[in-house]
Structure formats: C-alpha cells, structure tokens
Amino acid sequence: MNVAGAPPAVGLADGLTLAEKILARASGRDSVRPGEIITCRVDLALLLDSGGPRRIWPRLRELGAGIWDPERVVLVTDHFTPAVDAASAAILKLTREFAAEFGIRRFFDMQGIGHVLLAEHGLLQPGMFACGGDSHSSNGGAWGCYISGFGAIEMTGVVVTGEIWIQVPDTLRVTWEGRFADGVVAKDVMLALCRDLGMDNAFRVIEYVGSTIDAMPMSERMVLTNMAAELGADTGIIPPDETTLAALRAAGTEPDAGALGWRSDDSAAFLAEHRYEAGALEPQVAAPHSPANSGPVSQAAGTPIDQAYIGACVGARLDDLRMAARILRGRRIARGVRLLVAPASSRIMAQAAEEGLLTTLTEAGAYLLPTGCGACAALGAGVLAEGETCISSTNRNFQGRMGAHSASVWLGSAYSVAAAALTGRITDPREFL
Amino acid sequence: MTSRAGGHAWVFGDDINTDLLAPGLYFKAPLEELSRHCLEAVNPGFAGSVQPGDVIVAGRNFGMGSAREQAAQVLVQLGVGAVLARSFGRIFYRNAINFGLPVLLFPQAGEIIPGQRLEVDARRGTVRDLAMGQSFTVPPLPEHLLGMLEAGGLMPWLHRRLAARREAAQDV
Ligand code: SF4
C-alpha cells in the first residue's frame, strides 16, 4: 500500500525504472515494486550542521553507539556559517568536534552548501543509494543516483546501522523536448512544474528525460532534481549520460564501469508521463507563499520589491552569478532596493572572482554575502523585516521562510531576480538581454 | 507512545508546511520555546491551548517542506496525540513515526468540526467522532510502521536492535 495515499501504478510491465533498479541493488534484490517496504544499504550519508551532529550526537551517546562507516559519511557546515551569534557558533563548534571524534575525513567546514559540495568533489556516482539529512538532498539525483532527504532522527538510524527502510516509490516521468528561448532556464521549468504537478507527490520519484535535459550542463540538471523536493517527491533523478561522466571526471572521480547502464527499461511502468515543449516556456515567478503559485513573470510585472536575493544551493551557482552579471553589466540597481548575493560555495566564489563576475555585480550595487545557506532559511544574514517583499533565486517561499511572518517572497531565476533589482519591481528579464 | 489517541480536534487546511510548524526564526531556540511558535502564523492560539491527546485534522500535504525533524517534535512536545490528514509530506510523515506520533491518512478530514472530541486507533484504522456518534475507517498503517509506532519510535527500536547485536556478539 502507499502510505502517502498515492494510487498504485498502472500496468504490469516487467521492466524496472531507474529508481527501482537502484533500490533493488541497494536492497540486494533482483526486482522491487512500488509500495513494497524494503531495507536498503546506504552507500553515502550526507550530514549537515543543521540536522547533523547537534541532533545525532546526543542520540549516539544515549544508544552507546558509533558510526557504522566514517568513510561513507560526508559532513558539511553550511546552514549556520558563518556564526552570527553564540548559538550558531556553538553548533559549528560541536560539528567540528564531531568530525574529529568520529574520524570523518570528508568534513567540509565553511566551504559552501553541502548539496553543491557533493557535486564539486565528485562524490556521487550513477547507481548509488545515498541519504541526506536535508530535504534538498534530491539535488544529487542529477548524477543518476538515488539520494533522498530524511530527518535527523532517521539519519541517526542511518549512521548507526548503515541501513534505512524505504517504501519503493512510483516513478513519474517528465519529458522536456526542444530548446529554451533566451532568458529561460531550469528554474523556470521547476516553477512551472510546481504549478502543474502540484507539491503533493510524496512516495513518488520524478525522472527527467528528453532532449532539453540532454542539452543541459550538470548545474542546470541539479536545479531540476533539487526542486523535486518542492514537488514533494522522494527525489528527482536523471539518467546518466556522457555529460554526467565528463563532469564526474572533471571533478576528479573515475565513473564506475557500466555507469551508463543505469536507466529505466523500455518496458518499465511509470505512474504517469508528462511531456512539455521547452520552446513554449516563458520566464516564471512564484508568488508568495508557495512555489506552486507560479506563472509567467509578465503577469506579475510591476510588483515593487525591497530586496533581491541570489543565494542557496539551487540559486547561487556559477551559472546564476553569470545570469545576474549578464543583466547587471554596466547598469545600477534601483534606488531603495538591496541586492544580496551569497555564492553557493567557496569554489564558485573563486571562479566568479576570476571571471570578473563579482566586480560586475558589486559595481552594479550588489552586496556580497558569505557562502552558506544564509537568508534562504532565515538562519544567516539577509533576513526580511515585517511587511517587506523579496524576490529570490532560492527554492522555497513559504510564509516565514526568509524572516518575518508578514514578509512576502517571490521566486524566480537569477535573471528575474537581477532584472527586478534593476527596476525595483518584478520585471521580465528579457527586457535586459 | 501508542497507536491510540483521544482529544479535541484542531482543524487546518491544505499545505501546512514545516516552516509553519517549526519557524526558522526560532530554530536555534530550545524545543520548548520553538513549540510555542508552532503554527502561530495560521492559528496564534494553537500552541497555548492545545491539550495532551488532542488531534490535528488537516487537508492535503501536511508537513510538506524541509527535513527539520522539529516539525514533528514540536507536536509531540505539545502533547498532540495524532495527526489525521488527507495526505502528508514524506519526510514529515517518516519523522512523525520515528517520534512515535501516529499519522494517518484521513480522506474524510473535511467532515470534522473544530473542537469535536475524536478517538483515533491507528492499529484498527478507525477514527470516532464522539459528539456526532460517527465512526470513520481509515487506511491502516503497514505493519512495519505500526511496530515502530508501538515501540515508541526509532530510538527505542534502535536500542532493541543494538541490544540484540551485543547479545549475539557475546554468544560467540
Ligand atoms: S541553501 Fe536553502 S535550500 Fe539549500 S540547503 Fe541551504 S537552507 Fe536548504
């Protein structure tokens, strides 16, 4: 049965979807079917400062247990970096002590957001089964692996036993064909999909395929899998191809032999298949307080803003900084508006400096913030006051997400955020391309 | 914890997300303080008046959003006895069971009037509305999850598993 109330998959095909193949491998079976509850061995566990050591360590003490395999654990400080008060400083200190105590070699301290670091360091392989203590762990599914987010209590179970139970999800396949118009990017795809597919897709995996996806670099693919979390899905996944393997090599990791074999069988049963034409898509924004409140940016044009934010795992990649710089080059942001930019990792910060993007952005009036989650979840610098309006390249605009309860957050691509910063109002970014 | 609960109904709509349940602004605060802000954006009186055993009845996608386990923990802290919803966010759903909080699919959520006394039995898959004398059948939980719930959640379950492992190690 489906505990989240999803109807059972139709069809009796014997093929497996990509997600089912990975879950079968991880649970030591030949085959799995949607709805079955299985126990999987975990290849990699991502722990973040937010739901990681500070919540797991006391439980390990209570259990008198250690970590099943420190080599399979990646630990990152990102939500509370840099410390802004004694409480966040204490969390970071505890996280560092945890890394030392349990001998976690892959500990990335103040180097960027965990989901981005997994990709930068080539830590995800096609066919892998991984768990992360954060809902946007699905980000990594772009690498052809099954990586899903869990709460800290569940990650405690993972680090103690190296195992987790999974109810095999249905797979929903989303196909995008063709090329985007200039100014349209993966973020616009996801805002449109939140509206179209809704945010209530628990116990489903979203598999993205089609010529549009084939043409995307890994960074854009990760926007699709990252925001599978907004669709409410267990995770998002993209079958690996030559782009995946080349990116893996560029990150210093030799792909497993047979990596390209991780794809859905032709005879696999999907819960549903949705097809879209990329050429028909316009830049999208999501109105407060839900990513599903989305529509073409032109329909919201003119809405005044106080803050424009380029940040987060999903919205402050090198691509996003390039988009913003393309709009802002040689221009100044509007009076009375603040544009905050928090690059998603130290490496991205360095690359952006090298390309001159940081100069372009700051000359246009942007205020540069440290790398980390920051204002995305109201944990660091850049939070909103009561009644303020922000347009943000992040993934979530729930009420209270970025600060005060009465603040309003719009979501859009870095193009749309930069365009709004220029005019002080929500603006179709194509006016500035 | 148990798979049964009884108390007054608190009724909410669709898409109650984790930022509403455990707002980021109070995230670093101790659980007691965080729980005082639970759902305040949609019902400022909730955290102050909810009684042990009370039942949350909600629409679709309850608990959607982040992985923060505090979204489930604050409800346990406030004494909520069960959550009935038309559907759930996956991570919240798992977190709730891990904390021993019964979460049941309840397609009939729209029929419940706020404040009504409800009795919930997750093992039997029933919800009774005492004032209206009505009884609803709901999809039962899979055995695996009922077992976790009745064990009191993941921590007691892990305790047991580790104890068994230690015993096995001593036998050899
Ligand atoms: S940047 Fe935002 S969405 Fe991404 S991991 Fe951090 S808090 Fe979560």
Side-chain angles (χ1 to χ4, degrees):
Chain A
M1 68 153 276
N2 289 274
V3 290
V10 283
L12 283 171
D14 11 289
L16 298 182
T17 68
L18 170 52
E20 288 159 6
K21 282 186 185 178
I22 298 174
L23 294 177
R25 204 265 307 142
S27 61
R29 300 181 179 208
D30 294 331
S31 174
V32 295
R33 287 291 168 210
E36 280 184 279
I37 291 186
I38 56 171
T39 301
C40 293
R41 302 239 16 115
V42 176
D43 298 315
L44 190 89
L46 171 66
L47 302 182
L48 306 177
D49 54 359
S50 50
R54 72 178 178 130
R55 309 193 69 83
I56 290 175
W57 206 350
R59 292 181 176 133
L60 291 181
R61 284 206 187 94
E62 190 189 324
L63 293 166
I67 290 186
W68 105 103
D69 186 352
E71 292 300 311
R72 291 188 182 275
V73 174
V74 177
L75 178 62
V76 176
T77 60
D78 54 9
H79 281 65
F80 294 106
T81 58
V84 291
D85 52 22
S88 48
I91 293 169
L92 294 174
K93 179 164 177 263
L94 179 142
T95 307
R96 292 175 189 122
E97 288 166 358
F98 182 90
E101 170 77 17
F102 292 98
I104 296 170
R105 284 192 307 126
R106 286 193 288 221
F107 172 44
F108 300 101
D109 191 13
M110 301 183 77
Q111 293 174 47
I113 302 168
H115 308 308
V116 174
L117 294 175
L118 285 184
E120 280 183 359
H121 292 269
L123 296 175
L124 298 168
Q125 282 267 9
M128 196 180 241
F129 175 81
C131 299
D134 185 89
S135 61
H136 289 103
S137 301
S138 58
N139 185 75
W143 297 83
C145 58
Y146 190 105
I147 177 166
S148 189
F150 299 93
I153 182 156
E154 197 125 44
M155 292 307 290
T156 309
V158 167
V159 301
V160 171
T161 65
E163 292 177 352
I164 193 163
W165 68 269
I166 296 288
Q167 176 182 286
V168 179
D170 286 300
T171 300
L172 210 134
R173 189 184 244 184
V174 175
T175 306
W176 282 81
E177 299 289 357
R179 290 172 52 145
F180 295 128
D182 192 20
V184 178
V185 289
K187 185 57 162 293
D188 301 305
V189 165
M190 287 316 298
L191 294 178
L193 286 181
C194 285
R195 175 180 73 238
D196 221 47
L197 303 179
M199 300 178 66
D200 193 8
N201 291 290
F203 299 92
R204 294 175 188 167
V205 167
I206 316 293
E207 179 178 318
Y208 301 94
V209 294
S211 60
T212 316
I213 290 79
D214 295 342
M216 282 182 179
M218 293 308 292
S219 56
E220 282 284 276
R221 293 182 187 185
M222 282 189 273
V223 173
L224 304 183
T225 49
N226 180 296
M227 288 188 67
E230 275 50 60
L231 297 174
D234 289 27
T235 188
I237 197 162
I238 297 177
D241 60 6
E242 289 301 336
T243 303
T244 321
L245 302 193
L248 210 46
R249 288 196 185 97
T253 301
E254 188 48 34
D256 291 338
L260 293 180
W262 290 105
R263 52 186 54 253
S264 293
D265 292 327
D266 292 339
S267 58
F270 296 96
L271 178 67
E273 300 201 46
H274 300 269
R275 298 183 74 83
Y276 299 89
E277 280 301 320
L281 186 67
E282 287 182 61
Q284 305 280 309
V285 287
H289 301 288
S290 166
N293 284 344
S294 61
V297 63
S298 49
Q299 286 177 11
T303 308
I305 59 150
D306 302 292
Q307 174 167 310
Y309 184 63
I310 292 179
C313 49
V314 79
R317 307 152 304 140
L318 192 60
D319 293 4
D320 298 300
L321 305 184
R322 286 178 183 151
M323 287 179 217
R326 185 174 162 203
I327 299 265
L328 295 169
R329 187 161 291 120
R331 299 185 170 115
R332 277 294 298 182
I333 63 169
R335 238 176 199 294
V337 168
R338 50 190 195 269
L339 169 63
L340 310 182
V341 180
S345 74
S346 306
R347 193 178 287 180
I348 292 169
M349 182 89 87
Q351 285 166 334
E354 205 177 297
E355 285 185 26
L357 302 174
L358 299 183
T359 310
T360 305
L361 296 176
T362 44
E363 277 178 0
Y367 185 93
L368 201 58
L369 290 174
T371 200
C373 294
C376 172
L379 298 173
V383 299
L384 299 167
E386 295 289 351
E388 286 191 322
T389 301
C390 176
I391 182 166
S392 173
S393 67
T394 54
N395 40 27
R396 232 167 234 170
N397 60 343
F398 299 148
Q399 196 170 4
R401 168 79 181 177
M402 289 182 70
H405 276 314
S406 61
S408 299
V409 179
W410 292 73
L411 300 176
S413 72
Y415 279 136
S416 297
V417 173
L422 275 185
T423 62
R425 296 168 186 283
I426 292 177
T427 301
D428 190 328
R430 292 172 297 185
E431 290 173 25
F432 294 102
L433 292 178
Chain B
M1 278 289 174
T2 149
S3 54
R4 300 218 312 240
H8 295 281
W10 291 82
V11 179
F12 295 90
D14 291 342
D15 298 333
I16 295 295
N17 63 62
T18 50
D19 289 82
L20 295 172
L21 288 160
L25 270 186
Y26 311 100
F27 215 45
K28 285 172 279 189
L31 194 62
E32 297 73 44
E33 190 185 335
L34 182 63
S35 45
R36 282 201 292 275
H37 298 279
C38 174
L39 293 169
E40 69 183 359
V42 282
N43 184 344
F46 171 74
S49 0
V50 64
Q51 297 296 315
D54 280 1
V55 176
I56 288 182
V57 180
R60 297 201 67 83
N61 216 0
F62 186 89
M64 70 172 183
S66 90
R68 60 186 70 167
E69 60 182 5
Q70 294 93 324
Q73 247 182 333
V74 288
L75 297 179
V76 174
Q77 170 78 21
L78 291 170
V80 169
V83 183
L84 311 174
R86 294 169 75 91
S87 65
F88 289 94
R90 179 188 62 97
I91 307 180
F92 172 83
Y93 182 89
R94 296 185 65 117
N95 282 338
I97 293 190
N98 285 327
F99 284 114
L101 172 65
V103 275
L104 286 174
L105 287 174
F106 190 47
Q108 307 92 333
E111 295 178 38
I112 301 301
I113 297 164
Q116 218 78 300
R117 257 196 84 79
L118 299 181
E119 264 179 23
V120 179
D121 187 328
R123 182 161 277 285
R124 289 172 48 199
T126 55
V127 175
R128 294 205 315 140
D129 182 329
L130 298 184
M132 307 293 278
Q134 247 175 324
S135 193
F136 304 92
T137 316
V138 301
L141 288 174
E143 189 55 40
H144 182 86
L145 303 190
L146 272 174
M148 182 86 77
L149 212 52
E150 286 168 353
L154 183 67
M155 285 297 285
W157 184 87
L158 280 173
H159 266 297
R160 254 192 245 165
R161 186 175 156 152
L162 290 174
R165 207 196 269 172
R166 282 181 199 120
E167 257 173 46
Q170 277 166 8
D171 282 349
V172 272

